[in-house]
């Protein structure tokens, strides 16, 4: 399925683009994800999600391709459940453009997923994705306020120094079920209202017929 999202980063286009080059700083802003290794344009990481009482951990890898003139980056991602048969792969294209409030980031995701999360349809996945992206944007804004866009932890060899010799902590699972619940409730509201209206009409007609 194809998903489209957008958000605004409170920074100039050049500063925002510099920030997005540094995956070791940006990746921790994504709910449920941690970055384990980063070597040049290749990386590995983990994602943990929760659907109801069931938790699933994914381990995967990816590559990033950047186009500085277009201010866009392409991430090719793939992973699989560490304890299960579920798989996930995605091609994510992020494009940055100048906006009055800072920098507008448009994200297009071509997603292929199997296993329990696949039970959500495209409409629900889009709205769940909106919530996740907004959390991501909020954390990016906090990151900009804390350290600014110019700081960098990438060495001359292209290896992220903060990742050398250590394994990132276990990520906190992002609850897809909780994120989807408001969407499901909204979708159920109209049928529920129709049923309630029908019950009221039937009761009214019965009372009139008795009188």
């Amino acid at each position: 399925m194809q998903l489209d999202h957008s958000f605004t980063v409170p920074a100039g286009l050049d500063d925002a683009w510099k920030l997005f080059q540094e995956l070791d700083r940006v990746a921790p802003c994504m709910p449920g994800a941690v970055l384990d290794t980063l070597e040049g344009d290749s990386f590995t990481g983990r994602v943990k999600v929760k659907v109801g009482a069931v938790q699933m951990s994914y381990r995967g890898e990816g590559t990033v391709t950047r186009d500085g003139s277009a201010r866009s980056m392409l991430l090719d991602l793939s992973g699989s459940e560490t304890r299960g048969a579920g798989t996930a792969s995605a091609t994510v294209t992020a494009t940055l453009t100048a906006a009055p409030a800072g920098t507008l980031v448009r994200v297009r995701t071509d997603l292929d997923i199997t296993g329990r999360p696949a039970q959500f349809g495209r409409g629900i996945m889009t709205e769940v994705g909106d919530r996740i992206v907004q959390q991501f944007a909020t954390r990016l804004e906090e990151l900009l306020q804390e350290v600014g866009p110019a700081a960098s932890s990438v060495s001359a060899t292209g290896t992220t120094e903060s990742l050398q010799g250590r394994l990132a902590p276990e990520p906190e699972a992002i609850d897809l079920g909780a994120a989807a619940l408001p969407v499901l409730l909204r979708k159920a509201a109209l049928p529920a209202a129709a049923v309630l209206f029908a019950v009221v009409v039937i009761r009214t007609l019965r009372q009139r017929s008795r009188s």
Side-chain angles (χ1 to χ4, degrees):
M1 66 182 73
Q2 189 176 86
L3 308 174
D4 293 285
H5 303 93
S6 63
F7 60 93
T8 300
V9 177
L13 179 58
D14 290 339
D15 286 339
W17 177 246
K18 290 178 183 177
L19 175 63
F20 272 76
Q21 305 309 296
E22 302 174 24
L23 293 181
D24 61 310
R25 298 176 66 207
V26 174
C29 295
M30 180 60 68
V34 297
L35 189 65
D36 287 326
T37 65
L38 176 58
E39 294 288 341
D41 294 331
S42 301
F43 56 89
T44 64
R46 288 166 288 148
V47 176
K48 180 180 287 188
V49 300
K50 180 169 65 173
V51 180
V54 180
Q55 288 194 4
M56 292 155 288
S57 295
Y58 294 83
R59 186 180 297 275
E61 59 187 14
T63 58
V64 58
T65 303
R66 302 174 179 87
D67 185 343
S69 61
R71 292 294 196 271
S72 68
M73 56 194 306
L74 174 69
L75 290 93
D76 191 7
L77 312 169
S78 64
S80 59
E81 282 189 70
T82 56
R83 296 182 180 179
T87 62
S89 62
T91 300
V92 182
T93 303
T95 304
L96 283 63
T97 56
T103 298
L104 176 64
V105 183
R106 293 186 177 92
V107 182
R108 168 161 292 186
T109 304
D110 290 301
L111 176 66
D112 185 9
I113 190 167
T114 65
R116 192 177 295 268
Q119 66 184 293
F120 299 122
R122 184 184 182 281
I124 292 179
M125 287 297 290
T126 297
E127 296 206 37
V128 169
D130 284 338
R131 291 173 175 269
I132 295 173
V133 166
Q134 290 307 313
Q135 292 181 39
F136 175 67
T138 298
R139 294 181 181 182
L140 272 182
E141 183 174 355
E142 293 172 351
L143 175 63
L144 285 166
Q145 293 173 348
E146 290 174 2
V147 297
S152 176
S153 60
V154 180
S155 67
T157 62
T159 301
T160 307
E161 295 174 350
S162 61
L163 299 179
Q164 292 179 353
R166 70 172 179 83
L167 184 67
E170 189 70 12
E172 181 179 353
I174 180 169
D175 193 344
L176 293 185
L181 182 58
V183 183
L184 295 173
L185 290 176
R186 285 204 306 273
K187 290 181 178 295
L190 184 58
V195 171
L196 180 60
F197 177 76
V199 170
V200 171
V201 170
I202 292 173
R203 287 183 176 179
T204 302
L205 293 176
R206 285 180 177 177
Q207 290 175 354
R208 288 182 179 179
S209 63
R210 290 174 183 175
S211 59

